[in-house]
Amino acid sequence: MAALRAGPRPGRREGSEELGEPGAPDPSPASLDLPAMSSEPVVQARGLVKRYGTRTAVDGLDLEVAAGAVTAVLGPNGAGKTTTVETCEGYRRPDEGTVRVLGLDPVADAAALRPRIGVMLQSGGVYSGARADEMLRHMAKLHAHPLDVGALVERLGLGSCGRTTYRRLSGGQQQRLALAMAVVGRPELVFLDEPTAGLDPQARRSTWDLIRELRTDGVSVVLTTHFMDEAEALADDVAVIDAGRVIAQGSPEQLCRGGAENTLRFTGRPGLDLGSLLKALPDGSQADELTTGAYRIAGQIDPELLATVTSWCAQHGVMPEGIAVERHTLEDVFLELTGKELRA
Amino acid sequence: MSAGTYTPRPGAAPLPRMIAAQAALETRMLLRNGEQLLLTVVIPALLLVLFSAVDIIDTGAGEPVDFLAPGVLALAVMSTAFTGQAIATGFERRYGVLKRLGASPLPRWGLMAAKTLSVLVTEVLQVALLTVIAFALGWAPEGNPLAVLLLLLLGTVAFSGLGLLMAGTLKAEATLAAANLVFLLLLVGGGVIVPLDRFPDAAQSVLGLLPISALSDGLRDVLQHGTAMPWADAAVLAVWAVLGLGAAARFFRWE
């Protein structure tokens, strides 16, 4: 679990005077892998609590988002993803705790913050009688140095919408328009709330490509998703969120490596002396013959262990066939952390 | 798009440009909406033509058009500033348009200023059209145009406040139904085409305090009777304006 950054503990609250300290070292091991880092996190939430009536949507959430990276806020429906993001966007006032976005208070400093961020809502946001290019052109006019609208329309495949008004666009077209509206003002930081929900696979790829281009050009991206593959494919950093808290954060590799043991499988002669094999393996490893001649080693599977297994096989005259190392996916990690299926 | 396309270069457009763009978009949305045009243009124009040409309602002494034109101008203001604005804004709220614009560089008061501009632009178009029709029907207005302008502006503020109050507190469907119902009731009971003195005395004193009655009565005092400035009607409108805008500012919910 060494690479896992521990989630916040209940009751942990940090004073606001700690916020905004320039050059405070980021304790995140994940940040070491990130490209184009500046020392200042673009989002910093401490002890965030948000209640709706008696329901606590966000329950003491701590989150840091590194600049220039794609950060995925991953969790099941109802985990508090949208509330967290909408608090960062200035839509919600925290009941407790503090949020800073680009060093600013999203509510008090809204006028200064809004031109610098791009927002994609989970749905809606467009006049039902407006055409796609018309709405995009309008958003462009609200910014000082917008992108070329025509090029953006082509890039997102919205050129075919023609004179169709928003209410008659397909769900995918509406999603892509919302994404375009988030980036047209050339923001430093974009918040994308479930950017690929309801997209067909091709449109999904195209959205992923655009998000990667944003990162390449130095835009920080925060996206929420309940798709594991999306987080694995896109994100430099993943914050796993459940019941209103960040329960783990790190790069997908770190989460998968640290969060669960991996397995090595091979087949060979039945009835191998697993006791002798286990003696050669590091402490904590497990070896089983699952079915006749099918073996599974569980533990920290690294190159050294693989070499140990194959040389033990050589010493015992065994040809290990079909050797496969199974990496745990974020899906497994999530299941292990929460005991829940992500899409349950 | 090539590398560097998305390199951040944030910044808000100058405020006047944002408000002008927003007002232009709002006006386009309104003019594109068939139901809205029916309400703001077709109904007032039809009422003016129909009741001027056909003697259905006794409009008192003088030419019917001299009685009807001020009432229809008041109706035009109500249809745009109240009914149209309430319905449009209610659905913008429902579809997250207000929310999304709330995260844009356009400040909220800028959005409201743009909505007001859009209402005023629409009203100018309505008044121009209805005036032309009224003249064609033989209208002979009297009075001071500045007094007319002041009454129209006060009426616009009063109806806008009430329209936004409704849009910002009720569900979009409820706003749609209520705004249309109120439009119809005030059309009948607000001295627009039916003189208030047709109603029982008790009803008259209450109906006379409605914003539509104050506006149609005030416009009629100036345009039909040549009164310099109907201060009582202006005062009624001013009270509605303060109450409506005050309540809207207090209770308006953006999502």
Side-chain angles (χ1 to χ4, degrees):
Chain A
M1 299 290 275
L4 258 185
R5 203 191 305 164
R9 297 189 211 333
R12 181 178 153 212
R13 299 278 182 277
E14 312 222 351
S16 57
E17 67 275 8
E18 286 188 45
L19 295 177
E21 269 179 21
D26 182 350
S28 156
S31 62
L32 299 175
D33 310 337
L34 301 178
M37 282 284 303
S38 83
S39 54
E40 198 77 8
V42 289
V43 172
Q44 206 168 30
R46 300 268 174 95
L48 178 63
V49 175
K50 184 68 201 172
R51 299 183 196 93
Y52 298 115
T54 54
R55 197 172 69 83
T56 302
V58 174
D59 187 13
L61 177 137
D62 292 312
L63 178 66
E64 271 193 12
V65 171
V70 174
T71 301
V73 176
L74 175 75
N77 289 331
K81 304 188 296 290
T82 295
T83 302
T84 301
V85 167
E86 292 197 343
T87 307
C88 295
E89 292 162 347
Y91 287 121
R92 318 255 168 267
R93 213 179 273 273
D95 290 322
E96 285 174 43
T98 53
V99 175
R100 290 291 176 277
V101 176
L102 301 173
L104 300 169
D105 180 324
V107 178
D109 307 322
L113 181 60
R114 278 182 197 137
R116 298 172 63 187
I117 62 172
V119 168
M120 176 182 179
L121 300 177
Q122 215 174 85
S123 65
V126 182
Y127 293 87
S128 61
R131 299 186 292 266
D133 67 324
E134 182 176 43
M135 191 67 200
L136 202 49
R137 260 171 234 292
H138 177 63
M139 293 308 290
K141 279 185 199 151
L142 302 182
H143 293 271
H145 316 286
L147 296 176
D148 182 293
V149 171
L152 189 57
V153 163
E154 287 312 309
R155 170 66 183 75
L156 284 165
L158 292 167
S160 59
C161 297
R163 300 190 61 79
T164 314
T165 53
Y166 180 73
R167 75 185 133 216
R168 300 195 199 291
L169 294 179
S170 72
Q173 288 169 327
Q174 292 184 345
Q175 284 285 91
R176 279 175 280 153
L177 174 57
L179 176 63
M181 285 165 60
V183 304
V184 72
R186 298 179 69 174
E188 292 163 62
L189 166 64
V190 293
F191 293 98
L192 310 176
D193 200 353
E194 307 212 350
T196 62
L199 291 188
D200 62 48
Q202 195 192 340
R204 196 157 177 246
R205 292 279 159 194
S206 156
T207 295
W208 286 7
D209 287 343
L210 178 73
I211 291 170
R212 293 188 183 110
E213 287 163 37
L214 289 172
R215 174 182 49 193
T216 305
D217 286 348
V219 181
S220 310
V221 179
V222 176
L223 62 92
T224 71
T225 183
H226 55 264
F227 296 120
M228 286 293 178
D229 59 335
E230 185 154 285
E232 286 187 348
L234 273 183
D236 303 298
D237 197 22
V238 178
V240 182
I241 181 169
D242 184 48
R245 288 196 191 152
V246 175
I247 52 172
Q249 188 173 1
S251 70
E253 294 74 26
Q254 287 169 333
L255 288 175
C256 294
R257 197 167 61 225
E261 296 184 321
N262 294 346
T263 55
L264 172 71
R265 289 168 193 272
F266 65 93
T267 55
R269 202 173 61 220
L272 293 177
D273 178 6
L274 294 175
S276 144
L277 173 58
L278 266 182
K279 271 182 207 143
L281 296 178
D283 287 348
S285 305
Q286 262 192 325
D288 299 291
E289 187 172 356
L290 297 174
T291 56
T292 311
Y295 298 94
R296 182 186 68 185
I297 317 272
Q300 206 61 50
I301 308 296
D302 51 19
E304 220 163 290
L305 182 135
L306 185 59
T308 310
V309 171
T310 49
S311 69
W312 182 89
C313 287
Q315 282 163 24
H316 292 76
V318 177
M319 179 62 205
E321 287 177 12
I323 289 191
V325 175
E326 288 171 6
R327 230 173 58 92
H328 276 234
T329 64
L330 272 179
E331 200 127 21
D332 302 322
V333 175
F334 187 84
L335 186 64
E336 228 161 277
L337 287 168
T338 67
K340 283 185 267 193
E341 295 281 351
L342 188 65
R343 265 170 279 181
Chain B
M1 295 170 104
S2 55
T5 302
Y6 305 105
T7 304
R9 206 180 165 201
L15 197 51
R17 205 176 89 195
M18 287 198 278
I19 293 177
Q22 187 66 37
L25 181 69
E26 300 256 343
T27 310
R28 275 206 308 281
M29 291 301 111
L30 192 148
L31 295 178
R32 194 174 293 164
N33 186 324
E35 297 91 347
Q36 296 269 35
L37 280 185
L38 181 73
L39 205 70
T40 54
V41 176
V42 178
I43 290 179
L46 267 183
L47 289 174
L48 181 60
V49 173
L50 186 69
F51 289 107
S52 297
V54 187
D55 200 9
I56 304 174
I57 296 166
D58 179 6
T59 54
E63 287 298 312
V65 68
D66 289 334
F67 173 87
L68 288 167
V72 166
L73 288 178
L75 182 70
V77 168
M78 179 172 77
S79 69
T80 298
F82 174 73
T83 320
Q85 184 165 227
I87 294 171
T89 308
F91 279 97
E92 285 161 20
R93 180 166 153 253
R94 149 84 168 271
Y95 291 131
V97 179
L98 299 183
K99 181 177 179 179
R100 178 62 189 83
L101 288 172
S104 80
L106 179 69
R108 279 177 173 177
W109 68 262
L111 175 59
M112 285 302 154
K115 283 190 170 296
T116 307
L117 267 180
S118 162
V119 165
L120 291 176
V121 167
T122 311
E123 286 179 357
V124 166
L125 298 175
Q126 288 175 295
V127 170
L129 179 74
L130 293 171
T131 304
V132 168
I133 295 176
F135 277 129
L137 294 167
W139 185 35
E142 316 232 350
N144 182 354
L146 285 178
V148 173
L149 196 63
L150 181 66
L151 286 168
L152 290 176
L153 282 176
L154 273 176
T156 302
V157 178
F159 281 120
S160 287
L162 296 171
L164 292 173
L165 175 64
M166 191 177 263
T169 52
L170 302 183
K171 283 189 172 206
E173 289 78 6
T175 297
L176 177 66
N180 279 319
L181 183 66
V182 169
F183 177 82
L184 196 65
L185 291 177
L186 294 191
L187 166 62
V188 175
V192 174
I193 48 173
V194 183
L196 274 188
D197 55 24
R198 290 299 125 84
F199 292 92
D201 283 348
Q204 270 185 50
S205 53
V206 177
L207 293 177
L209 293 176
L210 293 173
I212 185 67
S213 317
L215 185 56
S216 56
D217 187 62
L219 288 174
R220 210 164 274 137
D221 278 352
V222 178
L223 290 166
Q224 193 177 11
H225 307 301
T227 309
M229 184 66 211
W231 291 109
D233 290 320
V236 170
L237 289 175
V239 169
W240 278 106
V242 169
L243 290 179
L245 279 184
R250 171 77 182 74
F251 297 111
F252 196 94
R253 290 197 311 268
W254 294 80
E255 306 177 24

